[in-house]
């Protein structure tokens, strides 16, 4: 019998370049997203939202990012231009997790961001539990104000991550993990 913790003990990311069809169907995606938003949420603010990138929209998004990158660096090598253009096209679905910070709330902004981060992590767990591959990526686009405008984000919103979802095309080896003993201590007065 497997341990109830085996999902957490075995979960790993699948590189976005190794993800392809099939992505979760609509019913499965809806179920995964419903589960993903069940996160700690001090103040019941729901300080997050989700934007899906699918189909041709992923390539169009990459082309827009490439144009931004070239405008900032006209000498950007062709290989980097192509990398930017295709970055979001490998996985069949990219779930963009957005933090919505309510600055008027007594709940600190960091707690609101962490709640949104939990949504992204739950997406990884949900995908893995259902046999899909997923990778949470950020990169410069997650922190860029012009990309935020491209995505239609409000001033109080920011990208937490782009979660690439699909089916892994190779067996993904686990990476080395830290030893718990090197991270654990007990505080005493």
């Amino acid at each position: 019998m497997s341990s109830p913790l085996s999902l957490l003990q075995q979960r790993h990311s699948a590189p976005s370049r190794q993800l392809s069809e099939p992505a979760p169907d609509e019913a499965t995606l809806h179920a995964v997203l419903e589960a993903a938003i069940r996160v700690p949420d001090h103040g019941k603010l729901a300080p997050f939202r989700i934007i899906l990138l699918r189909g041709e929209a992923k390539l169009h998004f990459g082309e827009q990012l490439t144009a931004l990158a070239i405008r900032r660096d006209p000498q950007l090598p062709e290989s980097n231009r192509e990398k930017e253009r295709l970055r979001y096209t490998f996985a069949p679905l990219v779930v963009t997790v957005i933090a919505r910070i309510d600055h008027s709330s007594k709940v600190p902004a960091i707690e609101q961001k962490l709640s949104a981060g939990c949504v992204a992590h739950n997406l990884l767990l949900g995908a893995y539990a259902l046999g899909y591959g997923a990778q949470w990526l950020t990169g410069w686009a997650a922190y860029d104000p012009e990309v935020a405008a491209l995505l239609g984000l409000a001033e109080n919103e920011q990208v937490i991550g782009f979660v690439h979802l699909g089916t892994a095309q190779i067996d993904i080896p686990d990476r080395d993990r830290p030893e718990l003993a090197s991270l654990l201590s007990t505080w005493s007065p």
Side-chain angles (χ1 to χ4, degrees), residues 25-36:
D25 61 33
E26 286 303 310
T28 303
L29 177 61
H30 184 81
V32 168
L33 293 174
E34 285 281 348

Side-chain angles (χ1 to χ4, degrees), residues 166-186:
T167 299
Q169 298 306 298
I170 61 170
D171 288 332
I172 309 298
D174 201 9
R175 65 174 173 81
D176 290 338
R177 304 293 174 163
E179 293 291 327
L180 178 61
S182 70
L183 305 171
L184 181 66
S185 64
T186 301

Side-chain angles (χ1 to χ4, degrees), residues 130-172:
L130 295 175
Y132 293 98
Q135 187 176 29
W136 175 355
L137 297 172
T138 51
W140 70 271
Y143 308 105
D144 188 273
E146 289 184 81
V147 175
L150 177 64
L151 288 167
L153 303 189
E155 197 167 304
N156 68 322
E157 295 181 319
Q158 70 181 81
V159 173
I160 291 297
F162 300 97
V163 179
H164 299 244
L165 290 173
T167 299
Q169 298 306 298
I170 61 170
D171 288 332
I172 309 298

Side-chain angles (χ1 to χ4, degrees), residues 39-85:
V39 296
D41 179 7
H42 183 194
K44 301 178 191 170
L45 299 174
F48 43 79
R49 69 183 180 100
I50 297 166
I51 300 171
L52 302 178
L53 300 174
R54 294 178 154 156
E56 289 299 313
K58 296 181 303 171
L59 181 59
H60 183 70
F61 185 63
E63 288 170 346
Q64 296 284 334
L65 297 187
T66 304
L68 284 173
I70 292 170
R71 194 169 73 238
R72 292 177 185 162
D73 179 8
Q75 304 304 314
L76 188 69
E78 185 57 40
S79 61
N80 292 45
R81 293 174 187 211
E82 191 68 2
K83 181 179 178 181
E84 293 300 337
R85 191 172 83 77

